[in-house]
Amino acid sequence: IHPSRCFESFGLTIIEAMSLGTPVIGFDTGTRRDFIEHKKNGFLADENIQDLIKVIREAEAYEKYEDLSKAALQTAEKYSEQKIIDRQIGYYKRILES
């Protein structure tokens, strides 16, 4: 559960959890929706505790945990160290070639 209500530029703890196949529950605020897809690799809650509790209960009863886990791994893979390095090198190459 990612209970922070603060805006963050990047959800490192979300990606770290997903890299272990752990779906994440978080508030639908800031960049979290860039990483968490509701009922695909985790769950998003409105920015209040009551909705978070409701979503946690929904997640506990969710029957497709294995699908969530696989999707979480796939999401984290997009942000693996090697993928980020390759993307950065690609940016530099395009800059140098232009």
Side-chain angles (χ1 to χ4, degrees), residues 22-92:
T22 305
V24 177
I25 299 170
F27 289 117
D28 187 5
T29 185
T31 60
R32 287 185 195 92
R33 68 183 67 99
D34 294 337
F35 307 108
I36 303 171
E37 294 181 63
H38 191 68
K39 293 186 180 180
K40 182 174 181 198
N41 61 7
F43 295 85
L44 290 168
D46 291 337
E47 288 186 63
N48 62 67
I49 297 301
Q50 293 80 10
D51 194 54
L52 180 63
I53 291 168
K54 182 182 119 195
V55 169
I56 290 169
R57 288 187 176 140
E58 180 183 355
E60 289 175 331
Y62 199 71
E63 295 181 8
K64 298 180 180 178
Y65 182 85
E66 298 235 353
D67 294 340
L68 289 172
S69 182
K70 287 176 188 175
L73 285 167
Q74 290 171 348
T75 299
E77 178 60 30
K78 293 184 225 175
Y79 301 96
S80 70
E81 183 178 356
Q82 192 58 53
K83 295 239 176 169
I84 297 297
I85 290 170
D86 292 345
R87 197 173 307 143
Q88 284 296 113
I89 290 172
Y91 295 147
Y92 293 138

